[in-house]
Amino acid sequence: MILVTGGAGFIGSNFVLDWIAQSDEALINLDKLTYAGNLENLASLKNHPHHIFVQGDIADRNLVSQLLEQYQPRAVINFAAESHVDRSIHGPADFIQTNVLGTFNLLESVREYWQSLDDAKRLQFRFLHVSTDEVYGSLQAHEPAFTEQHMYQPNSPYAATKASSDHLVRAWHHTYQLPVLTTNCSNNYGPFHFPEKLIPLMIINALAGKPLPIYGDGQQIRDWLYVKDHCSAIRTVLAQGKVGETYNIGGCNEQANIEVVKMICSILDELQPRADGRSYQTQISFVADRPGHDKRYAIDASKIRHDLAWLPKETFASGLEKTIRWYLAHPDWIEHVTSGSYRDWIKQHYQNESGV
Ligand code: NAD
Ligand code: TYD
């Protein structure tokens, strides 16, 4: 049994689906169901005996302690976070609450549980904290990619709160010997990505005939990784990672935003041409830049490659096409997310299940 937090979000739900498909081990999924949590992502697991969903907050020590006591997981994987940079600029308070205080409370509940285990289980237990490359700040064009030794220089409220959570996790290992692992990953894309983020927003706006808003000059660079590759890296770190270590995860896929949007347009031009025969690129619109916009992120993933033999499966071209095909095949999911009706899913489909 493992406990996953934030398993109804973008990466968490991909992780949960892959885990259940590939393992016989049951999973408790603790998620607060903020705007970013969508149980519709997990509709295929309804009534699955290996998926126990509990709506709740990582900061709720009583609830977390009760779950740990009841299910005795061998590992906790912490995906739960406020994760959207633009939202953190407009309202940082929720980010402090979940990413800093929530992680602190989760660590304390987990520490208490871990200390109560017998020697064999204590030795086997792992707390895996899922973090981001944004804690390292921004790179200039000529600078080498982020290694695990790179100084923490977070620039947005989101990145600062994730950096803070990483420090707490590190300290809980150093001070209390909690067996932690931390992963810092680059930008993910793929199925179930909430359409406030660049790639899904562009796909959905393009199909809806709306403008494709590019911040500033569109020359900012992100290092994109297909979400299923991130999930496989997390499984690898959980199974083989060395306690107390940090692993950078990335796909060696640096792309300028404008190029990403042009690629999306070209794939859509092929798969679902506009009625007037013109390219979706005609919908591109340059808008005001994000305040404090980080110029470039790039991950040096050589440690996980050398030490744990992990490699991504998708190239950016193959992953992006898969992603676009997924959105084209799921108009209902898009409609429910854009109309907000996904928030009713829990009432309609999970009313009688425990914990909800
Ligand atoms: P997301 O915003 O899509 O999902 C976050 C999930 O956490 C949601 O289901 C939400 O309901 C839940 N949640 C929020 N606050 C909670 C709380 N207090 N208690 C319990 N659940 C809570 O985020 P994501 O993109 O899936 O990212 C998951 C993790 O991976 C985050 O920690 C993020 O920092 C990290 N990460 C994301 C990316 C990326 O590109 N998306 C890249 C690297 C790292
Ligand atoms: P985003 O998906 O929000 O991820 P992050 O800020 O965590 O990197 O944004 C990815 C890049 O795309 C980032 O440089 C901001 C840019 N962007 C746009 O140009 N237009 C948009 O509408 C959005 C949402 C993002």
Side-chain angles (χ1 to χ4, degrees):
M1 175 77 81
I2 63 167
L3 171 65
V4 165
T5 71
F10 163 47
I11 304 173
S13 59
N14 276 286
F15 181 87
V16 169
L17 290 168
D18 288 359
W19 183 272
I20 301 279
Q22 296 178 16
S23 158
D24 284 336
E25 196 174 13
L27 176 155
I28 317 146
N29 182 356
L30 172 67
D31 196 297
K32 187 177 173 183
L33 295 180
T34 66
Y35 79 94
N38 183 355
L39 278 181
E40 201 170 336
N41 300 358
L42 302 168
S44 62
L45 298 181
K46 187 162 159 52
N47 298 328
H48 195 295
H50 285 172
H51 180 236
I52 300 156
F53 181 77
V54 178
Q55 184 174 9
D57 194 324
I58 55 168
D60 182 343
R61 272 211 224 167
N62 286 339
L63 173 66
V64 175
S65 295
Q66 183 220 308
L67 292 174
L68 292 168
E69 190 56 39
Q70 182 179 351
Y71 293 106
Q72 300 275 306
R74 69 168 176 96
V76 172
I77 307 180
N78 183 31
F79 291 94
E82 287 292 338
S83 74
H84 190 184
V85 175
D86 289 323
R87 282 190 185 237
S88 83
I89 294 168
H90 295 294
D94 287 347
F95 289 71
I96 303 281
Q97 178 55 43
T98 283
N99 300 358
V100 184
L101 297 173
T103 306
F104 159 68
N105 282 298
L106 179 65
L107 281 166
E108 280 295 82
S109 304
V110 170
R111 179 165 75 95
E112 191 184 42
Y113 163 70
W114 172 71
Q115 282 170 338
S116 75
L117 295 173
D118 65 35
D119 285 354
K121 284 187 176 156
R122 204 161 52 237
L123 213 66
Q124 204 199 17
F125 183 81
R126 297 288 181 271
F127 179 89
L128 193 157
H129 179 62
V130 179
S131 193
T132 167
D133 61 356
E134 302 193 26
V135 298
Y136 298 126
S138 181
L139 291 167
Q140 300 294 325
H142 62 276
E143 288 181 298
F146 301 126
T147 66
E148 290 79 0
Q149 277 72 47
H150 198 280
M151 191 194 298
Y152 270 41
Q153 289 176 313
N155 290 323
S156 69
Y158 163 65
T161 57
K162 288 298 290 187
S164 171
S165 67
D166 293 9
H167 291 321
L168 292 174
V169 170
R170 178 190 156 88
W172 260 239
H173 173 63
H174 193 79
T175 304
Y176 306 112
Q177 289 78 53
L178 187 71
V180 306
L181 298 155
T182 299
T183 56
N184 293 87
C185 189
S186 57
N187 284 61
N188 283 214
Y189 66 100
F192 305 117
H193 205 179
F194 196 78
E196 284 177 359
K197 299 295 192 110
L198 179 75
I199 289 181
L201 182 82
M202 295 299 158
I203 299 169
I204 290 170
N205 276 14
L207 293 171
K210 292 183 180 166
L212 308 179
I214 297 190
Y215 298 161
D217 60 6
Q219 293 306 322
Q220 298 79 13
I221 291 170
R222 297 292 182 266
D223 187 353
W224 294 96
L225 182 70
Y226 190 63
V227 63
K228 303 275 180 195
D229 282 327
H230 186 188
C231 295
S232 80
I234 290 171
R235 291 193 301 274
T236 303
V237 172
L238 179 67
Q240 301 167 44
K242 203 168 147 212
V243 165
E245 297 277 319
T246 287
Y247 295 90
N248 280 358
I249 303 172
C252 249
N253 259 317
E254 284 185 61
Q255 306 282 346
N257 293 338
I258 182 70
E259 295 311 322
V260 172
V261 176
K262 284 183 179 168
M263 280 175 81
I264 292 171
C265 291
S266 310
I267 297 172
L268 281 174
D269 287 341
E270 289 263 315
L271 297 180
Q272 190 150 310
R274 274 171 41 136
D276 63 5
R278 298 173 73 204
S279 169
Y280 286 98
Q281 281 195 36
T282 56
Q283 291 168 229
I284 288 176
S285 143
F286 290 89
V287 299
D289 208 351
R290 169 189 282 171
H293 200 168
D294 281 342
K295 177 77 184 152
R296 174 178 166 239
Y297 304 142
I299 276 278
D300 179 340
S302 33
K303 178 175 172 183
I304 187 170
R305 211 168 51 235
H306 290 142
D307 293 5
L308 307 183
W310 171 85
L311 279 176
K313 286 211 174 82
E314 302 294 340
T315 63
F316 190 55
S318 68
L320 193 59
E321 182 169 335
K322 270 190 185 175
T323 303
I324 292 174
R325 285 186 186 279
W326 185 88
Y327 279 92
L328 288 174
H330 292 84
D332 288 352
W333 185 90
I334 295 176
E335 201 282 316
H336 296 160
V337 171
T338 47
S339 71
S341 68
Y342 73 103
R343 313 235 36 193
D344 300 333
W345 183 266
I346 187 167
K347 289 188 214 114
Q348 291 160 10
H349 296 263
Y350 278 81
Q351 221 157 24
N352 299 321
E353 291 197 14
S354 66
V356 179

